[in-house]
Amino acid sequence: VAPLPTPRPIPSPESSMPRVNPAVGNLEGKQAGEVRTFTDLGVKFCWCPAGSFVMGSPASEVGRSNLEDQVNVTLSRGFWLGQTEVTQGLWRNVMGTTPWSGQKLGMEGAEYPATYVSWEDATEFCRKLTTREQEAGRLPSAWSYRLPTEAEWEYSCRAGLTTPYSVNGAGLLSEYAWYDKNASEVGQKYAHPVGSVL
């Protein structure tokens, strides 16, 4: 599943602050969780302010990987992160392809996530979306769509918490996410529509 790209300022040699296109206004968010739409495609983004957190998990956490040692991370700039995965409808609109078609575990529909997409494909999606939005005057030249870093992804998913899940308990996970127990183990071994709940 391709994570939704993130509009974020690209640092320039002459300034550490992004240039702002007066036609589109200031793209910085004001508070954590603020939601905005930047494109004419209806894609919603959530603001993640700059901040620090402990990335990884403690050795005592059940089910952790040996590759999850804890490290202190500081994100010096805020960023926008897509509220959901990229939908098939959005992918088709930007890329004109349907890599999920005919796949054994694929479901098709505009609100299903774009699946069977490589990192290279996702990066090209970001490049094309950036070009499209800059040419339309909706995205300043100092900003671009890109995939979030691993640190940005974990920082946003944690939502300020230090628990294994941002819902503060594995018992509540099925109310917020599709995973083996409420999907594949009950005969639904496929990606569900983005933003859907039980």
Side-chain angles (χ1 to χ4, degrees):
V1 177
L4 198 59
T6 313
R8 178 170 175 190
I10 302 171
S12 61
E14 61 274 3
S15 171
S16 61
M17 295 299 292
R19 295 183 298 275
V20 176
N21 181 340
V24 295
N26 185 354
L27 297 185
E28 296 286 334
K30 293 181 175 55
Q31 62 184 11
E34 175 185 347
V35 177
R36 285 196 204 169
T37 298
F38 296 100
T39 73
D40 64 340
L41 302 171
V43 183
K44 293 181 180 177
F45 295 89
C46 294
W47 178 248
C48 301
S52 299
F53 77 110
V54 178
M55 186 173 175
S57 59
S60 60
E61 187 174 294
V62 176
R64 79 182 292 273
S65 162
N66 290 334
L67 302 175
E68 296 177 10
D69 290 338
Q70 291 185 300
V71 293
N72 293 314
V73 175
T74 296
L75 298 174
S76 60
R77 300 189 107 148
F79 58 97
W80 292 97
L81 185 68
Q83 203 172 42
T84 69
E85 299 89 349
V86 171
T87 63
Q88 292 178 11
L90 176 59
W91 185 274
R92 273 194 310 266
N93 189 302
V94 174
M95 299 293 284
T97 63
T98 58
W100 51 84
S101 292
Q103 298 294 340
K104 181 179 178 185
L105 301 178
M107 296 291 282
E108 295 197 35
E111 295 306 313
Y112 281 91
T115 54
Y116 296 92
V117 174
S118 69
W119 181 88
E120 290 81 7
D121 294 337
T123 300
E124 179 64 7
F125 170 87
C126 294
R127 187 194 68 75
K128 284 189 173 184
L129 184 58
T130 296
T131 299
R132 177 189 190 276
E133 295 303 296
Q134 286 178 345
E135 288 177 352
R138 290 184 289 264
L139 187 69
S141 61
W143 287 61
S144 69
Y145 288 90
R146 63 172 176 78
L147 300 176
T149 66
E150 184 177 358
E152 288 168 338
W153 183 252
E154 183 168 333
Y155 175 70
S156 61
C157 289
R158 285 189 175 280
L161 299 177
T162 57
T163 52
Y165 302 101
S166 64
V167 295
N168 205 12
L172 298 174
L173 187 59
S174 63
E175 297 177 26
Y176 295 89
W178 297 104
Y179 69 117
D180 58 350
K181 296 209 182 307
N182 67 358
S184 62
E185 289 181 10
V186 295
Q188 297 179 19
K189 195 173 182 179
Y190 52 81
H192 290 66
V194 304
S196 63
V197 293
L198 294 174

